[in-house]
């Protein structure tokens, strides 16, 4: 029995992911020794901030048995409206206002998603597609599209706060890790705790596993679905404002198209698209792998025009491996 | 294990076959509404031959694509890679046509290759989906990137242009006042209607989408049907690829990027059930027309394009809600009688 | 199509209706021609600036020029297609994809609509009446290399960013830059051309990756307006301001911060608002039949237009924006 | 104590749209009794359970629980009143562990906000000890067998201070040994004063366990009383409203062999299985869970093909590597799980009937719709499916009628060999005897019939030859003159 458990541990989705990550790093490192440096860690951490946060949103929704493809649009609205107000209406120089409004917007659209899915019982993919169209179409129609690139001082102050400053000995380059990196870290810990140690979290797994069973067990299915989508909306709002801070940019299209990579990160991390399975650790690894791949293809020497293809290939293979893995694990009967 | 016995699902619509399809009625009345509205608002510019022609030039591309999405969804899946297939096959056709000097033979060969490329891409999707039983949504999400990437890699970036006139004529020419593409669209629609209603394969698609396990136990080769469904979808993607390459005189990886969303909207509006097993060619055809009517109405009303996106989103929700409401009402009526 | 070239020749001799309209236009109440200006896409700041130009034109002259287009560039052709339902006198287009829009424009011309294009020097002459360019693409790209070579002393590696590998003008700029570098700065070396998808984040991450792997990069050339901004942020964070030189196309509204801090040495731009006006003026001139070599349009940077070949007019609208003149080009 | 009434229902009515699922039901459950609820398919048993457990609100009538009128309950209220239901599908969470499945409901009920994993394991261990189940608490439910899933569901039910436990057709997926174990658990619960209501069709099982019996027909109450007041005849009469004959099937012996397997083996499932079916034979194939009887059926139908051995149909050797092979050789198969494997619930009777034989109707270039309709109507008539037409979705049919549609689907392929895995599982007595009659008739016509079942009375009554499987091997081949006790011993391996 014990042997069996260690064996299944060694071939679990997370471990396989880890092997792949290590192998990828080795290959890149061999081609490009500069890769093996603390700088790489910082760079990956910095580059993965948004994907990680969005992946957490998506994971919670996927676990509950839904899917959310509206977060890029919601994020764009959430980053655009506050900056629009600050730049064009009244110059409110307050980080609290910017983040507060972004989160509020995320919350509202999250509630809309929740309403469509749990009250009207529309299929999640279609419902969130609709929300996506409504959000991005609505905001551009009302407020137009501009690009805001100057931050008010309060947000600039956040941008200037770093938790790690590393100077590479050879080149003298400085690598900075912004304080906002703590957000995904804390969010991961928080979500992991929530999923494991609260009835809310277990309820999400329950409704993702079998909605009817959850209903007869006395779970409030609607409330749990509402929670999943509003949680996703809120974290999306916050992440979008982080994007504005870190990238000095707020547009109505900055995040569009991100859902593909984020869903892929979740699935590679062992979250099943059919609901009820997956956890934070796997998703973190999935995000790490995807971020690594996205940001090191030049180092690997892949020609630019082939990079889309290579990313696609790796994601497809990752999906195939994890799906096959999931099938194997649910087949062993006891 | 999830038997339906504990599901207090929406009461099944009894005697469904006896009533006119509520969905088709809804679509027709929506079309009537749009036409009526435009008759009041902009009679002069909306009801013109040139507007009709301009509409006909536009919808076949994504109309054909919608049928591909439709069969995949009826079979219980989805094909998010259609636009990728469309561009990849467009690139393949363009490559052959331009390299062979644009002769008529090269055009025929190019079109054939486009269809073959579409079929191969679709078959690959189908094979991965069915043999490894991975949700179609995932597989096609990944393969979209794969096919787009391949198209990009083949062209190296820049579009392939300078198609011969004969090829450009496919999507831009007309017989008298009627564009060729209208005939192509009608042919595809009729072909699809025939396949879905009158062939074994069409019925097998419905069976697969209704209950994949039961389909297997009924002797339906689910692997073959899934592969064939996606292959057909890929072929439709190939046709679309030819149309768009001809229409735009250019083949590249990023054409028609908004079509995925549009085709999903079309088929759901057209009554294809997102869980599979239900949907009609007629509904999808009407839905294509309806959306084109609306799109042109917007342009003529000088509404910003983004407003159209907003309205499409609302329309999608409205259509689904209306569906639920109507079915409930119909069930109640059936119960009373 | 051969048939439409004859249409092109006959267009300047405008319809009777057109000529009455033009006499009214001369009367100062603006033009009565029905003209549409269609941008590549509406959802980016660049073309909102163009809309401002068209609005300003309408206000100044009291005309009613329509400005509108598809949200996404990919849909531009079908947008123009749907415009053809109405009888326009002229359509001014900034093609998203020169080839893609060609057949539709040809249909427009077949309907007797005057077609003016911008940023589309390579478009098939049969598809339009005239094309106005803000400048010669080769000059524009060479200018970047001229600056980079001077700033770096002609030493080191450089990288080029393009919005999309499929973008014709971006690639022409880059080609011209490489050509000049090979001739004038032989000690420099082009590391490659990278795609950013018009996304600041991608430019930022790519720059970081490329600099880490190649610490000897001394210069970066951007093409899409976001390229230099993303690159500048990476250079700034890595503490390389002054060591790595950045030039490229951008706009004050998005690049101001890094121009002020000196991370971006300078960027070049042409005012989309003026380009919009120039297209309208050109359309009116075409309808009035007053197009001639060396003509001047009432838009900054589009005076003394010389027709180079087959209906392409080049202006001199490029402005190089530096710390000093930043406030003069505040868009 | 034993006479104290726990639950009393009076004149319960409930309709869905126009369907009167319940049309005046009375029921009385006493503490510590084992009460059986019987009735034909679609007579409203499940609906009644859902009314009691608060899933459905009743239209009319009164629900009295411990002397209090409780017409407006939701599932939580019902749970709080001590009512626990084990649904046909158990309503467990496949993605959660055994321990969680057992303990989570209690936590929901107590409105806990945080999860105490120690407590969950403790509760789970305690509950499993109470019913004597031994299952690894950390295994996910999707990895368990049906019987173990049911055990988990029972454990979960009893920990929440259950006073009244309802089991909806608990034995359909279990074999004899597991049923015995289940009865042991149920009796133990009874000893604790818990009232138990069991929905069941099998009279012999009802005799084994029930104290009292209530019978419903067409959503209405028919009769109720102590179990000893019911003999076989009254039971079936009350259920169906008519008398049904009980004679055994004894065909004329025939030399003509239809089907034979020799040394069929599939590692891990069965080994060296040989038997033959002659003209007129209805062959029974039985065994305990894991004896491989189901696997043989699936192997012969090509779902999980055998790896070695020979199969002869009408004297010719055939190979079956997949379902297509089986169908090509005119083998039909009625799967165990009708709902998920046999039927397209949302599609019409017509679609279901022609699903497998659709190629027959493809003439020239298109499907012959008229012929399809004609064939379906003919089967509806011949098999006796109760429906106004061939148009309604199968979802609207009762279990027995649905099973008849599955049978029509195969008969429409003109099978030479017809394998039925649990053909009457969850089918009521009336429909059951009709299905049996159909099988006999087919056998007489020369179609080979193999019935895979663990319903011993059914086998003894309908099969003239019974193959008993044990541990993947053929343990015995007997005819139906054997006593049920003897057959059951053979099954368990107690005879030798
Ligand atoms: N949610 C529902 N909507 C519509 N009709 C329903 C619903 N639930 C049950 N019915 C109908 O009510 C009747 C009684 O169904 P019920 O499931 O209670 O029968 P049952 O006695 O449990 O049958 P079985 O033995 O097949 O389980 C059937 O005709 C069924 O079709
Ligand atoms: N050893 C086992 N461990 C776990 N699950 C098992 C085991 N054996 C069988 N099962 C499961 O129990 C169910 C029935 O088992 P199986 O088919 O092996 O038995 P059988 O003798 O063929 O009886 P039946 O026809 O009733 O299924 C199946 O769902 C199977 O997956
Ligand atoms: Mg029932
Ligand atoms: Mg079995």
């Amino acid at each position: 029995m014990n042997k069996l458990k260690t064996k299944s541990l060694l071939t679990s989705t997370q471990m396989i992911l880890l092997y792949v990550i290590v192998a990828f790093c080795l290959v890149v490192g061999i081609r490009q020794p500069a890769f093996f440096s603390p700088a790489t860690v910082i760079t990956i951490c910095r580059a993965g901030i948004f994907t990680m946060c969005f992946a957490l949103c998506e994971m919670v929704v996927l676990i509950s048995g839904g899917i959310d493809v509206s977060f890029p649009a919601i994020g764009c609205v959430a980053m655009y409206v506050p900056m629009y107000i600050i730049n064009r209406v009244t110059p409110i120089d307050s980080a609290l206002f910017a983040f507060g409004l972004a989160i509020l917007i995320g919350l509202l659209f999250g509630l809309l998603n929740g309403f469509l899915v749990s009250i009207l019982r529309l299929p999640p993919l279609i419902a969130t597609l609709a929300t996506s169209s409504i959000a991005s179409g609505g905001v551009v129609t009302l407020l137009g599209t501009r690009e805001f690139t100057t931050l008010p001082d309060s947000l600039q102050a956040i941008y200037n706060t770093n938790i790690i400053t590393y100077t590479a000995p050879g080149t003298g380059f400085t690598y900075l890790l912004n304080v906002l990196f703590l957000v995904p870290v804390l969010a991961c810990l928080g979500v992991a705790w929530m999923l494991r140690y609260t009835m809310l979290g277990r309820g999400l797994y329950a409704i993702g596993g079998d909605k009817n069973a959850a209903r007869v067990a006395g779970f409030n299915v609607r409330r749990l679905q509402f929670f999943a989508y509003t949680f996703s909306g809120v974290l999306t709002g916050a992440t979008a404002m982080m994007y504005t801070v870190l990238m000095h940019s707020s547009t109505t299209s900055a995040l569009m198209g991100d859902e593909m990579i984020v869903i892929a990160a979740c699935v590679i991390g062992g979250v099943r698209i059919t609901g009820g399975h997956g956890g934070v650790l796997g998703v973190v690894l999935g995000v790490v792998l995807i971020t690594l791949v996205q940001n090191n293809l030049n180092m690997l020497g892949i020609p630019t025009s082939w990079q889309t293809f290579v990313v696609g290939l790796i994601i497809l293979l990752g999906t195939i491996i994890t799906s096959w893995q999931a099938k194997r694990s649910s087949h062993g009967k006891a | 294990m999830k038997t339906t016995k504990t599901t207090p699902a929406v009461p099944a619509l009894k005697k469904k076959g006896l009533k006119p399809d509520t969905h088709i009625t809804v679509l027709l009345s929506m079309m009537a509404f749009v036409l009526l509205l435009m008759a009041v608002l902009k009679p002069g510019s909306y009801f013109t031959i040139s507007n009709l022609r301009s509409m006909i030039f536009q919808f076949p591309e994504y109309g054909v694509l919608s049928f591909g999405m439709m069969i995949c969804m009826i079979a219980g899946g989805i094909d998010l890679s259609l636009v990728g297939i469309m561009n990849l096959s467009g690139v393949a056709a363009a490559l052959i046509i331009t390299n062979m000097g644009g002769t008529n033979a090269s055009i025929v060969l190019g079109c054939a290759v486009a269809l073959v490329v579409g079929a191969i891409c679709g078959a690959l999707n189908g094979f991965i989906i069915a043999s490894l039983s991975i949700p179609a949504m995932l597989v096609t999400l990944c393969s979209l990137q794969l096919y787009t990437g391949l198209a990009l890699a083949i062209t190296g970036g820049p579009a392939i242009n300078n198609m011969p006139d004969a090829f450009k004529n496919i999507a831009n020419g007309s017989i008298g006042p009627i564009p060729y593409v209208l005939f192509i669209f009608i042919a595809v629609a009729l072909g699809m209607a025939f396949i879905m209603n009158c062939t074994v394969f069409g019925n097998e698609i419905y069976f697969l989408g209704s209950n994949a396990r039961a389909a297997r136990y009924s002797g339906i080769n689910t692997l073959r049907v899934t592969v064939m469904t996606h292959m057909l979808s890929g072929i439709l993607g190939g046709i679309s690829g030819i149309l768009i390459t001809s229409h735009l005189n250019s083949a590249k990886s990023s054409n028609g990027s908004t079509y995925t969303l549009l085709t999903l909207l079309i088929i759901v509006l057209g009554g294809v059930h997102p869980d599979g097993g239900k949907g009609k060619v007629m509904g999808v055809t009407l839905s294509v027309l309806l959306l084109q009517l609306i799109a042109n109405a917007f342009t003529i009303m000088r509404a910003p394009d983004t407003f159209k996106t907003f309205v499409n989103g609302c329309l999608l929700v409205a259509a689904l809600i209306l569906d639920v409401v109507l079915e409930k009402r119909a069930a109640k009526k059936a119960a009373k009688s | 199509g051969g048939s439409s070239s004859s249409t092109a020749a006959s267009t300047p001799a405008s319809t009777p209706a057109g000529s009455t309209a033009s006499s009214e236009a001369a009367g100062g109440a603006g033009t009565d021609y029905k003209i549409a200006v269609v941008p590549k896409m509406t959802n980016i700041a660049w073309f909102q600036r163009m809309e401002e130009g068209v609005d300003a034109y309408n206000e100044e002259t009291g005309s009613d020029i329509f400005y509108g287009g598809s949200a996404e560039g990919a849909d531009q052709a079908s947008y123009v297609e749907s415009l053809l339902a109405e009888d326009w006198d002229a359509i001014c287009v900034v093609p998203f994809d020169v080839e893609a829009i060609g057949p539709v424009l040809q249909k427009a011309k077949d309907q007797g609509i005057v077609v003016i294009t911008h940023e589309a020097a390579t478009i098939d002459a049969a598809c339009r009446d005239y094309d106005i360019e803000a400048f010669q693409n080769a000059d524009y790209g060479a200018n970047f290399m001229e600056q980079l070579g001077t700033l770096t002393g002609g030493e080191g590696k450089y990288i080029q960013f393009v919005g999309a590998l499929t973008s014709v003008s971006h690639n022409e700029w880059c080609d011209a830059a490489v050509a000049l570098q090979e001739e004038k700065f032989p000690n420099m070396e082009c590391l490659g051309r990278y795609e950013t998808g018009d996304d600041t984040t991608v430019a930022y991450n790519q720059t970081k990756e490329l600099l880490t792997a190649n610490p000897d990069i001394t210069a970066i050339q951007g093409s899409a307006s976001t390229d230099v901004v993303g690159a500048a942020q990476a250079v700034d964070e890595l503490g390389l301001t002054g060591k790595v030189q950045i030039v490229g196309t951008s706009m004050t509204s998005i690049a101001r911060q890094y121009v002020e801090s000196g991370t971006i040495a300078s960027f070049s731009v042409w005012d989309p608002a003026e380009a919009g006006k120039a297209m309208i003026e050109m359309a009116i001139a075409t309808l009035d039949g007053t197009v001639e070599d060396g003509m001047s349009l009432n838009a900054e940077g589009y005076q003394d237009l010389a027709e180079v070949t087959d209906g392409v007019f080049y202006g001199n609208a490029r402005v190089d924006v530096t710390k000093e003149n930043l406030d003069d080009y505040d868009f | 104590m034993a006479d104290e009434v726990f639950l009393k229902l009076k004149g319960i009515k409930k309709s869905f749209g126009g369907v009167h699922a319940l049309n005046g039901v009375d029921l009385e459950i006493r503490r510590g009794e084992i009460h059986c609820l019987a009735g034909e398919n679609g007579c409203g048993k499940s609906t009644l359970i859902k009314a009691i457990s608060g899933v459905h609100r009743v239209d009319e009538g009164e629900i009295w629980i411990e002397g209090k009128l409780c017409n407006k309950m939701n599932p939580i209220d019902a749970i709080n009143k001590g009512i626990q239901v084990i649904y046909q599908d158990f309503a467990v969470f496949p993605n959660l562990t055994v321990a969680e499945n057992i303990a989570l409901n209690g936590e929901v009920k107590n409105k806990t906000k945080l999860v105490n994993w120690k407590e969950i394991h403790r509760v789970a261990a305690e509950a499993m000890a109470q019913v004597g189940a031994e299952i690894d608490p950390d295994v996910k439910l999707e990895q368990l067998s049906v019987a173990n899933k049911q055990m988990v569901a029972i454990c979960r039910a009893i920990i929440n201070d259950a006073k009244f436990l309802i089991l909806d057709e608990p034995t359909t997926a279990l074999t004899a040994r597991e049923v015995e174990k289940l009865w042991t658990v149920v009796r133990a619960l009874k000893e604790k004063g818990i009232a138990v209501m069991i929905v069941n069709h099998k009279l012999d099982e009802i005799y084994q366990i029930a104290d009292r019996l209530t019978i419903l027909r067409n959503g209405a109450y028919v009769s109720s009383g102590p179990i000893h007041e019911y003999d076989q005849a009254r039971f079936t009469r009350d259920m169906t409203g008519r008398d049904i004959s009980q004679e055994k099937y004894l065909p004329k012996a025939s030399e003509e062999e239809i089907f034979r397997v020799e040394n069929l083996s599939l590692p891990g499932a069965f080994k060296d299985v040989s038997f033959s079916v002659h003209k007129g034979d209805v062959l029974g194939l039985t065994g305990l869970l894991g004896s491989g009887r189901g696997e043989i059926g699936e192997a012969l139908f090509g779902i999980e093909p055998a790896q070695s051995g020979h199969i002869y149909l009408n004297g010719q050797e055939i190979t079956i590597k997949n379902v297509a092979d089986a169908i090509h050789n005119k083998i039909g198969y009625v799967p165990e799980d009708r709902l998920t494997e046999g039927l397209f619930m949302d599609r019409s009777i017509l679609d279901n009937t022609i699903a497998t034989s659709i190629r027959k109707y493809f003439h020239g270039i298109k499907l012959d719709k008229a012929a399809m309709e004609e064939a379906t109507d003919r089967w509806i008539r011949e098999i006796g499916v109760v429906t106004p037409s061939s148009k309604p979705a199968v979802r609207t049919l009762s279990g027995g009628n649905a099973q008849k549609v599955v049978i029509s689907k195969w008969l429409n392929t003109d099978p030479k060999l017809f394998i039925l895995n649990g053909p009457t599982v969850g089918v009521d007595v009336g429909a059951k005897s009709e299905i049996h009659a159909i099988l006999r008739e087919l056998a007489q016509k020369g179609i080979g019939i193999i019935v895979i079942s663990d319903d011993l009375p059914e086998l003894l009554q309908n099969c003239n030859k019974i193959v008993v499987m044990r541990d993947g091997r053929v343990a015995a081949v007997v005819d139906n003159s054997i006593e049920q006790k003897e057959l059951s011993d053979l099954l368990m391996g107690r005879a030798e």
Side-chain angles (χ1 to χ4, degrees), chain D residues 432-446:
Chain D
K432 206 165 167 174
S433 73
E434 284 167 29
I435 289 174
H436 291 155
I438 295 166
L439 295 183
R440 294 175 184 196
E441 202 177 311
L442 293 172
Q444 301 287 5
K445 281 187 192 155

Side-chain angles (χ1 to χ4, degrees), chain A residues 32 34-35 37 39-40 42-43 46-47 50 80 88 140 143-151 156 159 171-176 243 245-249 252-254 258 294-300 304-305 307-308, chain C residues 42-46 48 52 71-72 165 192-195 199-202 204-206 208-217 225-226 229-230 233-240 243-244 252-258:
Chain A
Q32 192 66 255
F35 178 81
S37 136
T40 305
I42 294 177
T43 307
R46 169 66 178 73
F50 313 123
Y80 187 71
R88 304 227 137 205
V140 178
L143 302 182
T145 46
R146 294 193 160 66
E147 182 159 3
F148 301 110
T149 54
T150 329
L151 301 178
Q156 183 66 34
Y159 172 78
T171 56
F173 294 180
T174 51
Y175 292 87
L176 308 173
Y243 178 95
V245 171
L246 288 181
M247 296 317 303
H248 284 96
S249 161
T252 51
S253 59
D258 279 7
Q294 277 188 316
N295 289 287
N296 289 287
L297 289 179
N298 291 323
M299 285 208 184
L300 258 183
T304 315
S305 60
Q307 290 187 358
T308 314
Chain C
T42 52
N43 68 359
I44 62 167
W46 181 269
Q48 299 223 326
E52 283 170 20
E72 300 280 330
L165 288 169
R193 200 172 291 180
Y194 301 91
E195 191 175 31
D199 185 341
T200 318
T201 322
V202 177
Y204 168 82
N205 283 330
Q206 293 253 26
K208 259 183 157 177
E209 180 194 349
L210 290 163
L211 279 171
T212 304
N214 307 281
D216 47 354
I217 289 174
S225 62
T226 49
V229 182
Q233 182 171 348
V235 166
D236 184 44
E237 286 183 10
L238 290 169
L240 296 174
K243 292 182 195 140
V244 176
T252 306
S253 61
I254 63 176
R256 171 183 285 277
Q257 175 188 13
Y258 294 108

Side-chain angles (χ1 to χ4, degrees), chain D residues 289-290 292-295 298 336 421:
Chain D
L289 178 73
R293 53 154 214 234
E295 281 76 0
E298 301 212 324
E336 219 172 343
N421 196 350

Side-chain angles (χ1 to χ4, degrees), chain D residues 159-234:
Chain D
I159 53 159
N160 295 314
D161 304 322
K163 295 177 187 159
F164 179 33
L165 183 65
I166 307 175
L167 299 153
D168 194 356
E169 302 196 35
T171 60
T172 47
L174 304 187
T175 42
R177 195 178 286 165
E178 288 164 337
V179 172
E180 270 178 30
K181 173 142 192 234
L182 178 65
W183 292 161
T184 319
V185 172
V186 168
R187 286 196 195 98
L189 296 177
K190 174 189 160 135
E191 291 306 310
K192 295 195 179 110
I194 298 175
V196 181
M197 182 167 85
I198 297 170
V199 174
N200 206 333
H201 287 125
K202 299 181 186 166
L203 189 58
D204 57 329
E205 285 177 2
I206 295 175
Y207 277 129
Q208 284 168 19
I209 187 76
D211 300 325
R212 292 196 318 133
L213 175 66
T214 295
I215 294 182
L216 305 183
R217 191 165 70 227
N218 290 336
Y221 170 84
V222 176
S223 71
S224 184
I227 189 72
H228 57 79
E229 288 178 9
Y230 287 83
D231 58 8
Q232 176 103 24
R234 175 174 180 207

Side-chain angles (χ1 to χ4, degrees), chain B residues 1 3-6 14 194 197-199 203-204 207 210-211 213-219 224 277 335, chain D residues 17-19 50 88-89 298 303 323 327 340-341 343-344 347 351 356 358-359 365 367 369 395 409-410:
Chain B
M1 280 320 297
T3 61
T4 42
K5 292 210 169 172
T6 52
K14 299 211 173 178
F194 178 78
N197 294 315
C198 302
T199 68
N203 274 273
E204 285 176 339
F207 284 134
S210 305
N211 182 347
R213 261 176 89 82
R216 178 154 180 258
Y217 277 80
S218 299
R224 193 191 50 123
Chain D
V19 185
K50 285 181 191 155
Q88 267 170 297
D89 63 357
E298 301 212 324
I303 287 164
V323 177
I327 289 175
T340 63
E341 295 170 349
L343 291 167
F344 304 94
R347 304 203 69 79
D351 282 344
T356 307
I358 186 162
R359 277 168 203 285
I365 55 154
L367 288 169
K369 299 251 156 116
R395 184 178 295 292
K409 172 175 85 177
W410 286 108

